[in-house]
PDB file of all heavy atoms in Angstrom:
ATOM      1  N   MET C   1      15.625  70.751 172.333  1.00 72.00           N
ATOM      2  CA  MET C   1      16.431  69.958 173.251  1.00 72.00           C
ATOM      3  C   MET C   1      16.068  68.503 173.135  1.00 72.00           C
ATOM      4  O   MET C   1      16.916  67.648 173.189  1.00 72.00           O
ATOM      5  CB  MET C   1      16.235  70.489 174.678  1.00 72.00           C
ATOM      6  CG  MET C   1      17.127  69.839 175.665  1.00 72.00           C
ATOM      7  SD  MET C   1      18.811  70.393 175.477  1.00 72.00           S
ATOM      8  CE  MET C   1      19.557  69.632 176.801  1.00 72.00           C
ATOM      9  N   GLY C   2      14.771  68.233 172.977  1.00 74.00           N
ATOM     10  CA  GLY C   2      14.320  66.847 172.829  1.00 74.00           C
ATOM     11  C   GLY C   2      14.835  66.207 171.560  1.00 74.00           C
ATOM     12  O   GLY C   2      15.129  65.013 171.555  1.00 74.00           O
ATOM     13  N   ARG C   3      14.965  67.030 170.527  1.00 83.00           N
ATOM     14  CA  ARG C   3      15.463  66.509 169.235  1.00 83.00           C
ATOM     15  C   ARG C   3      16.951  66.085 169.380  1.00 83.00           C
ATOM     16  O   ARG C   3      17.347  65.051 168.842  1.00 83.00           O
ATOM     17  CB  ARG C   3      15.278  67.535 168.169  1.00 83.00           C
ATOM     18  CG  ARG C   3      15.780  67.104 166.805  1.00 83.00           C
ATOM     19  CD  ARG C   3      15.211  68.018 165.708  1.00 83.00           C
ATOM     20  NE  ARG C   3      15.909  67.876 164.475  1.00 83.00           N
ATOM     21  CZ  ARG C   3      15.771  66.917 163.607  1.00 83.00           C
ATOM     22  NH1 ARG C   3      14.932  65.932 163.851  1.00 83.00           N
ATOM     23  NH2 ARG C   3      16.425  66.883 162.438  1.00 83.00           N
ATOM     24  N   ILE C   4      17.693  66.848 170.110  1.00 78.00           N
ATOM     25  CA  ILE C   4      19.121  66.530 170.315  1.00 78.00           C
ATOM     26  C   ILE C   4      19.254  65.271 171.140  1.00 78.00           C
ATOM     27  O   ILE C   4      20.069  64.412 170.815  1.00 78.00           O
ATOM     28  CB  ILE C   4      19.843  67.710 171.020  1.00 78.00           C
ATOM     29  CG1 ILE C   4      19.868  68.917 170.092  1.00 78.00           C
ATOM     30  CG2 ILE C   4      21.251  67.339 171.395  1.00 78.00           C
ATOM     31  CD1 ILE C   4      20.400  70.198 170.768  1.00 78.00           C
ATOM     32  N   LEU C   5      18.385  65.109 172.166  1.00 77.00           N
ATOM     33  CA  LEU C   5      18.429  63.884 172.978  1.00 77.00           C
ATOM     34  C   LEU C   5      18.026  62.664 172.157  1.00 77.00           C
ATOM     35  O   LEU C   5      18.632  61.597 172.302  1.00 77.00           O
ATOM     36  CB  LEU C   5      17.524  64.011 174.180  1.00 77.00           C
ATOM     37  CG  LEU C   5      18.079  64.836 175.339  1.00 77.00           C
ATOM     38  CD1 LEU C   5      17.036  64.963 176.446  1.00 77.00           C
ATOM     39  CD2 LEU C   5      19.337  64.201 175.870  1.00 77.00           C
ATOM     40  N   SER C   6      17.066  62.803 171.247  1.00 83.00           N
ATOM     41  CA  SER C   6      16.661  61.643 170.457  1.00 83.00           C
ATOM     42  C   SER C   6      17.751  61.289 169.442  1.00 83.00           C
ATOM     43  O   SER C   6      17.972  60.089 169.206  1.00 83.00           O
ATOM     44  CB  SER C   6      15.340  61.979 169.744  1.00 83.00           C
ATOM     45  OG  SER C   6      15.510  62.967 168.755  1.00 83.00           O
ATOM     46  N   ILE C   7      18.419  62.298 168.901  1.00 82.00           N
ATOM     47  CA  ILE C   7      19.555  61.990 167.989  1.00 82.00           C
ATOM     48  C   ILE C   7      20.670  61.295 168.783  1.00 82.00           C
ATOM     49  O   ILE C   7      21.270  60.305 168.310  1.00 82.00           O
ATOM     50  CB  ILE C   7      20.079  63.307 167.310  1.00 82.00           C
ATOM     51  CG1 ILE C   7      19.046  63.794 166.345  1.00 82.00           C
ATOM     52  CG2 ILE C   7      21.394  63.055 166.610  1.00 82.00           C
ATOM     53  CD1 ILE C   7      19.405  65.206 165.743  1.00 82.00           C
ATOM     54  N   PHE C   8      20.961  61.807 169.993  1.00 78.00           N
ATOM     55  CA  PHE C   8      21.989  61.202 170.827  1.00 78.00           C
ATOM     56  C   PHE C   8      21.644  59.761 171.246  1.00 78.00           C
ATOM     57  O   PHE C   8      22.529  58.922 171.236  1.00 78.00           O
ATOM     58  CB  PHE C   8      22.209  62.078 172.085  1.00 78.00           C
ATOM     59  CG  PHE C   8      23.374  61.602 172.961  1.00 78.00           C
ATOM     60  CD1 PHE C   8      24.633  61.828 172.551  1.00 78.00           C
ATOM     61  CD2 PHE C   8      23.114  60.964 174.143  1.00 78.00           C
ATOM     62  CE1 PHE C   8      25.687  61.403 173.322  1.00 78.00           C
ATOM     63  CE2 PHE C   8      24.175  60.542 174.949  1.00 78.00           C
ATOM     64  CZ  PHE C   8      25.471  60.771 174.541  1.00 78.00           C
ATOM     65  N   ASN C   9      20.351  59.497 171.536  1.00 80.00           N
ATOM     66  CA  ASN C   9      19.973  58.174 171.893  1.00 80.00           C
ATOM     67  C   ASN C   9      20.028  57.173 170.748  1.00 80.00           C
ATOM     68  O   ASN C   9      20.183  56.012 170.936  1.00 80.00           O
ATOM     69  CB  ASN C   9      18.535  58.197 172.501  1.00 80.00           C
ATOM     70  CG  ASN C   9      18.514  58.781 173.874  1.00 80.00           C
ATOM     71  OD1 ASN C   9      19.502  58.780 174.583  1.00 80.00           O
ATOM     72  ND2 ASN C   9      17.363  59.372 174.253  1.00 80.00           N
ATOM     73  N   ASN C  10      19.902  57.701 169.500  1.00 82.00           N
ATOM     74  CA  ASN C  10      19.928  56.800 168.342  1.00 82.00           C
ATOM     75  C   ASN C  10      21.360  56.459 167.924  1.00 82.00           C
ATOM     76  O   ASN C  10      21.576  55.632 167.062  1.00 82.00           O
ATOM     77  CB  ASN C  10      19.222  57.448 167.155  1.00 82.00           C
ATOM     78  CG  ASN C  10      17.745  57.546 167.360  1.00 82.00           C
ATOM     79  OD1 ASN C  10      17.170  56.707 168.083  1.00 82.00           O
ATOM     80  ND2 ASN C  10      17.046  58.487 166.706  1.00 82.00           N
ATOM     81  N   LEU C  11      22.361  57.117 168.518  1.00 82.00           N
ATOM     82  CA  LEU C  11      23.755  56.823 168.175  1.00 82.00           C
ATOM     83  C   LEU C  11      24.183  55.502 168.761  1.00 82.00           C
ATOM     84  O   LEU C  11      23.624  55.054 169.762  1.00 82.00           O
ATOM     85  CB  LEU C  11      24.664  57.953 168.642  1.00 82.00           C
ATOM     86  CG  LEU C  11      24.500  59.337 167.968  1.00 82.00           C
ATOM     87  CD1 LEU C  11      25.403  60.364 168.652  1.00 82.00           C
ATOM     88  CD2 LEU C  11      24.757  59.276 166.502  1.00 82.00           C
ATOM     89  N   SER C  12      25.256  54.961 168.221  1.00 87.00           N
ATOM     90  CA  SER C  12      25.784  53.717 168.738  1.00 87.00           C
ATOM     91  C   SER C  12      26.541  54.041 170.040  1.00 87.00           C
ATOM     92  O   SER C  12      26.852  55.182 170.337  1.00 87.00           O
ATOM     93  CB  SER C  12      26.726  53.054 167.760  1.00 87.00           C
ATOM     94  OG  SER C  12      27.850  53.854 167.523  1.00 87.00           O
ATOM     95  N   LEU C  13      26.843  53.008 170.788  1.00 85.00           N
ATOM     96  CA  LEU C  13      27.489  53.157 172.108  1.00 85.00           C
ATOM     97  C   LEU C  13      28.883  53.761 171.915  1.00 85.00           C
ATOM     98  O   LEU C  13      29.262  54.641 172.730  1.00 85.00           O
ATOM     99  CB  LEU C  13      27.593  51.825 172.792  1.00 85.00           C
ATOM    100  CG  LEU C  13      28.174  51.846 174.189  1.00 85.00           C
ATOM    101  CD1 LEU C  13      27.376  52.736 175.124  1.00 85.00           C
ATOM    102  CD2 LEU C  13      28.276  50.450 174.756  1.00 85.00           C
ATOM    103  N   SER C  14      29.640  53.328 170.891  1.00 88.00           N
ATOM    104  CA  SER C  14      30.965  53.895 170.702  1.00 88.00           C
ATOM    105  C   SER C  14      30.918  55.386 170.352  1.00 88.00           C
ATOM    106  O   SER C  14      31.732  56.183 170.830  1.00 88.00           O
ATOM    107  CB  SER C  14      31.706  53.127 169.609  1.00 88.00           C
ATOM    108  OG  SER C  14      31.022  53.249 168.362  1.00 88.00           O
ATOM    109  N   LYS C  15      29.946  55.820 169.580  1.00 86.00           N
ATOM    110  CA  LYS C  15      29.796  57.240 169.270  1.00 86.00           C
ATOM    111  C   LYS C  15      29.380  58.071 170.485  1.00 86.00           C
ATOM    112  O   LYS C  15      29.842  59.169 170.693  1.00 86.00           O
ATOM    113  CB  LYS C  15      28.777  57.413 168.111  1.00 86.00           C
ATOM    114  CG  LYS C  15      29.310  56.968 166.776  1.00 86.00           C
ATOM    115  CD  LYS C  15      28.307  57.219 165.712  1.00 86.00           C
ATOM    116  CE  LYS C  15      28.884  56.705 164.379  1.00 86.00           C
ATOM    117  NZ  LYS C  15      27.907  56.868 163.295  1.00 86.00           N
ATOM    118  N   LYS C  16      28.497  57.477 171.328  1.00 85.00           N
ATOM    119  CA  LYS C  16      28.100  58.152 172.559  1.00 85.00           C
ATOM    120  C   LYS C  16      29.326  58.335 173.467  1.00 85.00           C
ATOM    121  O   LYS C  16      29.542  59.431 174.029  1.00 85.00           O
ATOM    122  CB  LYS C  16      27.041  57.356 173.303  1.00 85.00           C
ATOM    123  CG  LYS C  16      25.684  57.386 172.650  1.00 85.00           C
ATOM    124  CD  LYS C  16      24.695  56.571 173.486  1.00 85.00           C
ATOM    125  CE  LYS C  16      23.356  56.504 172.792  1.00 85.00           C
ATOM    126  NZ  LYS C  16      22.421  55.650 173.566  1.00 85.00           N
ATOM    127  N   ILE C  17      30.095  57.270 173.628  1.00 90.00           N
ATOM    128  CA  ILE C  17      31.318  57.349 174.475  1.00 90.00           C
ATOM    129  C   ILE C  17      32.301  58.372 173.905  1.00 90.00           C
ATOM    130  O   ILE C  17      32.892  59.207 174.624  1.00 90.00           O
ATOM    131  CB  ILE C  17      31.970  55.974 174.583  1.00 90.00           C
ATOM    132  CG1 ILE C  17      31.083  55.067 175.439  1.00 90.00           C
ATOM    133  CG2 ILE C  17      33.359  56.090 175.233  1.00 90.00           C
ATOM    134  CD1 ILE C  17      31.527  53.654 175.507  1.00 90.00           C
ATOM    135  N   PHE C  18      32.446  58.401 172.577  1.00 90.00           N
ATOM    136  CA  PHE C  18      33.358  59.349 171.915  1.00 90.00           C
ATOM    137  C   PHE C  18      32.882  60.801 172.183  1.00 90.00           C
ATOM    138  O   PHE C  18      33.674  61.678 172.573  1.00 90.00           O
ATOM    139  CB  PHE C  18      33.466  59.078 170.463  1.00 90.00           C
ATOM    140  CG  PHE C  18      34.306  60.070 169.726  1.00 90.00           C
ATOM    141  CD1 PHE C  18      35.709  60.033 169.806  1.00 90.00           C
ATOM    142  CD2 PHE C  18      33.719  61.076 168.965  1.00 90.00           C
ATOM    143  CE1 PHE C  18      36.450  60.981 169.158  1.00 90.00           C
ATOM    144  CE2 PHE C  18      34.505  61.966 168.279  1.00 90.00           C
ATOM    145  CZ  PHE C  18      35.898  61.951 168.371  1.00 90.00           C
ATOM    146  N   ILE C  19      31.620  61.076 171.990  1.00 88.00           N
ATOM    147  CA  ILE C  19      31.066  62.428 172.214  1.00 88.00           C
ATOM    148  C   ILE C  19      31.196  62.836 173.646  1.00 88.00           C
ATOM    149  O   ILE C  19      31.656  63.972 173.965  1.00 88.00           O
ATOM    150  CB  ILE C  19      29.612  62.527 171.747  1.00 88.00           C
ATOM    151  CG1 ILE C  19      29.557  62.387 170.188  1.00 88.00           C
ATOM    152  CG2 ILE C  19      28.960  63.803 172.192  1.00 88.00           C
ATOM    153  CD1 ILE C  19      28.157  62.261 169.654  1.00 88.00           C
ATOM    154  N   LEU C  20      30.929  61.927 174.575  1.00 90.00           N
ATOM    155  CA  LEU C  20      31.020  62.254 176.007  1.00 90.00           C
ATOM    156  C   LEU C  20      32.454  62.507 176.409  1.00 90.00           C
ATOM    157  O   LEU C  20      32.763  63.377 177.201  1.00 90.00           O
ATOM    158  CB  LEU C  20      30.364  61.188 176.864  1.00 90.00           C
ATOM    159  CG  LEU C  20      28.830  61.093 176.745  1.00 90.00           C
ATOM    160  CD1 LEU C  20      28.313  59.926 177.584  1.00 90.00           C
ATOM    161  CD2 LEU C  20      28.201  62.402 177.248  1.00 90.00           C
ATOM    162  N   SER C  21      33.388  61.722 175.864  1.00 95.00           N
ATOM    163  CA  SER C  21      34.781  61.908 176.235  1.00 95.00           C
ATOM    164  C   SER C  21      35.307  63.219 175.661  1.00 95.00           C
ATOM    165  O   SER C  21      36.082  63.937 176.323  1.00 95.00           O
ATOM    166  CB  SER C  21      35.623  60.697 175.731  1.00 95.00           C
ATOM    167  OG  SER C  21      35.608  60.640 174.342  1.00 95.00           O
ATOM    168  N   VAL C  22      34.877  63.565 174.433  1.00 95.00           N
ATOM    169  CA  VAL C  22      35.292  64.874 173.869  1.00 95.00           C
ATOM    170  C   VAL C  22      34.764  66.046 174.723  1.00 95.00           C
ATOM    171  O   VAL C  22      35.477  66.980 175.010  1.00 95.00           O
ATOM    172  CB  VAL C  22      34.850  64.978 172.395  1.00 95.00           C
ATOM    173  CG1 VAL C  22      34.991  66.406 171.876  1.00 95.00           C
ATOM    174  CG2 VAL C  22      35.647  64.031 171.545  1.00 95.00           C
ATOM    175  N   LEU C  23      33.488  65.935 175.110  1.00 95.00           N
ATOM    176  CA  LEU C  23      32.924  66.940 175.937  1.00 95.00           C
ATOM    177  C   LEU C  23      33.597  67.048 177.314  1.00 95.00           C
ATOM    178  O   LEU C  23      33.867  68.135 177.808  1.00 95.00           O
ATOM    179  CB  LEU C  23      31.421  66.698 176.156  1.00 95.00           C
ATOM    180  CG  LEU C  23      30.540  67.005 174.952  1.00 95.00           C
ATOM    181  CD1 LEU C  23      29.088  66.588 175.249  1.00 95.00           C
ATOM    182  CD2 LEU C  23      30.614  68.429 174.536  1.00 95.00           C
ATOM    183  N   SER C  24      33.921  65.897 177.927  1.00 97.00           N
ATOM    184  CA  SER C  24      34.611  65.973 179.204  1.00 97.00           C
ATOM    185  C   SER C  24      35.986  66.502 179.076  1.00 97.00           C
ATOM    186  O   SER C  24      36.483  67.260 179.944  1.00 97.00           O
ATOM    187  CB  SER C  24      34.632  64.562 179.869  1.00 97.00           C
ATOM    188  OG  SER C  24      35.293  63.655 179.060  1.00 97.00           O
ATOM    189  N   ILE C  25      36.716  66.186 177.989  1.00 97.00           N
ATOM    190  CA  ILE C  25      38.079  66.762 177.738  1.00 97.00           C
ATOM    191  C   ILE C  25      37.935  68.287 177.591  1.00 97.00           C
ATOM    192  O   ILE C  25      38.770  69.031 178.150  1.00 97.00           O
ATOM    193  CB  ILE C  25      38.705  66.114 176.514  1.00 97.00           C
ATOM    194  CG1 ILE C  25      39.099  64.674 176.838  1.00 97.00           C
ATOM    195  CG2 ILE C  25      39.915  66.902 176.054  1.00 97.00           C
ATOM    196  CD1 ILE C  25      39.561  63.894 175.634  1.00 97.00           C
ATOM    197  N   LEU C  26      36.957  68.753 176.862  1.00 97.00           N
ATOM    198  CA  LEU C  26      36.792  70.177 176.674  1.00 97.00           C
ATOM    199  C   LEU C  26      36.466  70.884 178.003  1.00 97.00           C
ATOM    200  O   LEU C  26      36.970  72.006 178.272  1.00 97.00           O
ATOM    201  CB  LEU C  26      35.677  70.480 175.651  1.00 97.00           C
ATOM    202  CG  LEU C  26      36.032  70.179 174.191  1.00 97.00           C
ATOM    203  CD1 LEU C  26      34.805  70.383 173.324  1.00 97.00           C
ATOM    204  CD2 LEU C  26      37.206  71.037 173.734  1.00 97.00           C
ATOM    205  N   VAL C  27      35.630  70.267 178.848  1.00 97.00           N
ATOM    206  CA  VAL C  27      35.313  70.832 180.151  1.00 97.00           C
ATOM    207  C   VAL C  27      36.551  70.934 181.020  1.00 97.00           C
ATOM    208  O   VAL C  27      36.855  71.926 181.663  1.00 97.00           O
ATOM    209  CB  VAL C  27      34.185  70.033 180.822  1.00 97.00           C
ATOM    210  CG1 VAL C  27      34.013  70.432 182.286  1.00 97.00           C
ATOM    211  CG2 VAL C  27      32.885  70.247 180.071  1.00 97.00           C
ATOM    212  N   VAL C  28      37.309  69.826 181.082  1.00 97.00           N
ATOM    213  CA  VAL C  28      38.511  69.813 181.908  1.00 97.00           C
ATOM    214  C   VAL C  28      39.545  70.827 181.369  1.00 97.00           C
ATOM    215  O   VAL C  28      40.142  71.596 182.168  1.00 97.00           O
ATOM    216  CB  VAL C  28      39.138  68.381 181.933  1.00 97.00           C
ATOM    217  CG1 VAL C  28      40.521  68.423 182.555  1.00 97.00           C
ATOM    218  CG2 VAL C  28      38.249  67.465 182.707  1.00 97.00           C
ATOM    219  N   TYR C  29      39.710  70.936 180.060  1.00 97.00           N
ATOM    220  CA  TYR C  29      40.613  71.872 179.445  1.00 97.00           C
ATOM    221  C   TYR C  29      40.189  73.311 179.815  1.00 97.00           C
ATOM    222  O   TYR C  29      41.028  74.154 180.173  1.00 97.00           O
ATOM    223  CB  TYR C  29      40.663  71.684 177.954  1.00 97.00           C
ATOM    224  CG  TYR C  29      41.507  72.737 177.250  1.00 97.00           C
ATOM    225  CD1 TYR C  29      42.875  72.694 177.284  1.00 97.00           C
ATOM    226  CD2 TYR C  29      40.897  73.833 176.586  1.00 97.00           C
ATOM    227  CE1 TYR C  29      43.639  73.660 176.669  1.00 97.00           C
ATOM    228  CE2 TYR C  29      41.668  74.783 175.980  1.00 97.00           C
ATOM    229  CZ  TYR C  29      43.006  74.718 175.995  1.00 97.00           C
ATOM    230  OH  TYR C  29      43.770  75.681 175.395  1.00 97.00           O
TER     231      TYR C  29
END
């Protein structure tokens, strides 16, 4: 789990926003 968080923290802001928006769309769907 820590490795996934470190990879996520190393991403750029636009990639983080994209991943979070995709996840939120999937949750709402």
Side-chain angles (χ1 to χ4, degrees):
M1 184 73 175
R3 180 163 165 77
I4 294 173
L5 281 177
S6 66
I7 292 173
F8 185 73
N9 287 334
N10 290 335
L11 294 176
S12 67
L13 183 60
S14 62
K15 288 182 182 179
K16 287 180 183 177
I17 291 173
F18 176 75
I19 291 173
L20 290 176
S21 63
V22 167
L23 287 176
S24 60
I25 288 171
L26 288 175
V27 167
V28 168
Y29 175 77

